[in-house]
Amino acid sequence: MGRVPNRYTARPHQLLNLVDGQWVPAEAGQTRENVNPADFGDVIGEFAESGGVDVDRAVDAAADALPRWRAAGPIRRAEYLAAAGRILGERAEEFASAITREQGKLLTEARGEVARSRAVLDFTVGQARLLGGVTAPAEEERTFAYTFRRPIGVVGLVSPWNFPLAIPMWKVAPALLSGCTAVLKPSPLTPLTAALLAEVFQEAGLPDGVLNLVQGDVAAGEALVANPRVAGISFTGSLAVGTAIHVGGAHRLLRTQLELGGKNAVVVCDDADIDGAVSAVLGGAFGQAGQRCSATSRAVVDVRVREEFLDRLVARVAALRVGPGDDPDSQVCPVVNEARVQAALDAVAGAQRAGAKVLCGGGRVDDPGLPQGCYLQPTVLRDVPWDSELAQEEVFGPVLAVVDADGFDDALRIANSVRYGMSGTVFTASQSRAFAAVERLEAGMLHVNRPGVGAYAHLPHVGSKASQYGPPECSPQVWDFYTEWHSACMSY
């Protein structure tokens, strides 16, 4: 198969929690097995499965460290972040290997994630000298009026498995620069990468208790939301869980920042560059096996170019090679676990019952040369009703719904018909249509004649509608989550 050696093994301390600078097991002694989705025979390790006691200890450590960390000021705090960035650069290949092994994505995709994480960290460090307030005119003589920011306090950072380094980084970096102290609770599906990240900050000399790591699942997350010393929760994941976090903390006015689901459309107009649109949809729908909040899960195609688009797309999708992320010949990685496999298969079956037709894929990969793992065929379905479940709800797998549109206005109507609004893309040769699409598409990240996944590290990662609640990440606006404004008037 041409696979390259890619077997980074977790060191014993990385299986534990990091609390107040010490690597410790979960209080109850429970653990959870972490398995490579590309090879069920490859067990990465038994990681801590934490509960409320573990979370409360981490929060206490963060609260104790808060006064000293806040007093350090943003420029001094940025020095720790810059040191962490240098260490991350030195260990980039180690991180990429760990990401591929536990999350499954292609090694090239994992390397791209490491690069994105470093860019986000660099951007955050550069904000240190901009994190201030303004002076304002006073209404009285001999009075000085100004505004300034203070960190909100201890924050809980709850991150998903699909970007196990980048998303924790774009939470941890601004949290720490702002003067908050933090408890990071990563997905239980990708604990190793989070442990490596915590290790990097520890190696950078970050004071004990400023960043704590608690591994675990629902019990740990609920304890973080319930702890009264936690001032805010930044969460990336599903709409259902994000809503539960928001509701669970509402009684005490818990501040929340929620980046949620997506059901993203690429609109292909009748004047589009078909090859360009096909390439964008191919990468957007099947890159990382469709496991991105900004993944292309719908192609809304004008009926006048539908057959040409489908002919070119299906030929390229059918030729994609599915395999382990550390195999340089692989073009599509496995999905993260068996639950995602079954969810995708159920979505395809439901679409067929609604009248959609499978043009390619639709099942598990049947290849005796592959190890036992979570391998799905890249799938394209046509004649998908615009209001069907497959066209409306997130699948988070390598499944593309092709929806017919009768003209530009109908295409935008269909694209906007979902409750989510993460990413929106249009392919057209018309300048007026391009500007109209940017104006009318109900999405936070907008693209014209280019792939519709994500944004630059220095542009807001933001959704609209049910895809986002609170200030966007990867932007100067993020400080409106991690800090609060104060005003002062001083007479002299």
Side-chain angles (χ1 to χ4, degrees):
M1 294 174 58
R3 299 177 69 181
V4 297
N6 184 24
R7 284 294 178 265
Y8 175 81
T9 300
R11 292 185 288 276
H13 72 276
Q14 293 166 347
L15 305 174
L16 308 175
N17 294 328
L18 178 64
V19 178
D20 201 19
Q22 302 298 313
W23 293 92
V24 295
E27 174 68 20
Q30 294 183 332
T31 61
R32 177 189 291 260
E33 190 175 71
N34 186 20
V35 177
N36 184 343
D39 183 354
F40 293 160
D42 178 26
V43 177
I44 298 166
E46 296 275 350
F47 287 78
E49 180 66 24
S50 305
V53 172
D54 305 292
V55 169
D56 291 347
R57 288 177 176 173
V59 171
D60 288 347
D64 290 345
L66 181 63
R68 297 187 304 277
W69 184 244
R70 189 177 103 172
I75 295 175
R76 173 61 178 146
R77 293 193 291 262
E79 293 175 0
Y80 291 100
L81 269 63
R86 290 191 292 272
I87 296 166
L88 177 59
E90 294 165 359
R91 298 176 61 178
E93 197 62 19
E94 178 187 354
F95 269 90
S97 177
I99 291 169
T100 291
R101 188 180 177 205
E102 70 172 349
Q103 195 275 340
K105 67 181 63 176
L106 302 181
L107 193 56
T108 53
E109 294 171 333
R111 288 169 177 151
E113 180 175 350
V114 176
R116 174 71 182 270
S117 303
R118 295 177 65 189
V120 167
L121 188 53
D122 288 346
F123 170 78
T124 305
V125 168
Q127 292 283 303
R129 286 174 166 79
L130 303 175
L131 193 59
V134 297
T135 58
E139 296 180 2
E140 303 151 305
E141 294 183 358
R142 299 176 59 80
T143 299
F144 180 55
Y146 65 102
T147 66
F148 62 96
R149 294 179 183 267
R150 283 181 184 157
I152 63 172
V154 177
V155 292
L157 311 177
V158 183
S159 60
W161 49 263
N162 60 329
F163 286 94
L165 175 62
I167 292 179
M169 181 65 84
W170 74 50
K171 296 180 186 297
V172 168
L176 299 190
L177 186 68
S178 72
C180 292
T181 53
V183 178
L184 172 63
K185 194 213 80 66
S187 166
L189 299 181
T190 51
L192 174 57
T193 305
L196 287 171
L197 177 60
E199 186 180 84
V200 161
F201 277 99
Q202 191 176 40
E203 188 177 338
L206 195 71
D208 293 347
V210 172
L211 175 63
N212 304 274
L213 171 70
V214 177
Q215 305 281 13
D217 200 358
V218 176
E222 289 178 344
L224 201 54
V225 174
N227 191 298
R229 303 184 82 176
V230 174
I233 296 284
S234 178
F235 168 80
T236 299
S238 71
L239 175 60
V241 175
T243 301
I245 289 171
H246 189 65
V247 172
H251 71 284
R252 63 182 184 87
L253 302 181
L254 176 71
R255 185 176 294 199
T256 57
Q257 179 189 48
L258 311 173
E259 195 246 286
L260 307 168
K263 190 65 182 176
N264 311 294
V266 170
V267 172
V268 183
C269 297
D270 58 2
D271 62 347
D273 170 5
I274 299 299
D275 285 333
V278 165
S279 293
V281 169
L282 190 78
F286 305 113
Q288 206 172 303
Q291 299 172 118
R292 295 180 285 201
C293 63
S294 59
T296 301
S297 54
R298 294 178 296 157
V300 181
V301 184
D302 193 294
V303 292
R304 296 160 188 81
V305 295
R306 174 188 56 203
E307 300 306 322
E308 181 183 5
F309 173 84
L310 286 173
D311 287 346
R312 298 187 193 183
L313 176 68
V314 171
R316 294 184 63 181
V317 174
L320 291 173
R321 180 187 176 93
V322 181
D326 59 358
D327 182 347
D329 294 327
S330 296
Q331 297 170 292
V332 178
C333 66
V335 296
V336 74
N337 64 6
E338 189 62 27
R340 298 316 317 155
V341 171
Q342 195 56 54
L345 295 176
D346 290 346
V348 171
Q352 289 177 294
R353 289 193 296 270
K357 299 179 180 62
V358 174
L359 297 182
C360 63
R364 298 174 184 265
V365 173
D366 183 14
D367 183 349
L370 291 176
Q372 186 180 6
C374 300
Y375 298 103
L376 277 172
Q377 297 171 335
T379 301
V380 178
L381 298 100
R382 66 172 296 167
D383 301 334
V384 178
W386 70 268
D387 57 351
S388 65
E389 184 174 359
L390 182 64
Q392 294 287 313
E393 297 300 333
E394 202 169 31
V395 176
F396 235 61
V399 179
L400 174 71
V402 179
V403 183
D404 293 347
D406 187 10
F408 179 67
D409 290 334
D410 190 44
L412 294 191
R413 176 191 66 80
I414 293 169
N416 290 336
S417 68
V418 299
R419 58 178 170 169
Y420 300 107
M422 185 63 69
S423 176
T425 305
V426 63
F427 274 80
T428 179
S430 166
Q431 187 178 68
S432 62
R433 280 180 172 178
F435 278 98
V438 168
E439 176 67 25
R440 293 166 57 187
L441 281 172
E442 297 169 356
M445 295 178 287
L446 301 162
H447 304 268
V448 177
N449 295 330
R450 64 185 307 277
V453 287
Y456 301 130
H458 58 282
L459 287 178
H461 192 283
V462 61
S464 64
K465 300 197 288 189
S467 290
Q468 179 81 34
Y469 181 87
E473 299 182 279
C474 304
S475 71
Q477 291 75 35
V478 76
W479 309 120
D480 290 333
F481 173 73
Y482 291 106
T483 67
E484 56 189 8
W485 281 107
H486 296 264
S487 63
C489 296
M490 302 174 61
S491 296
Y492 53 92

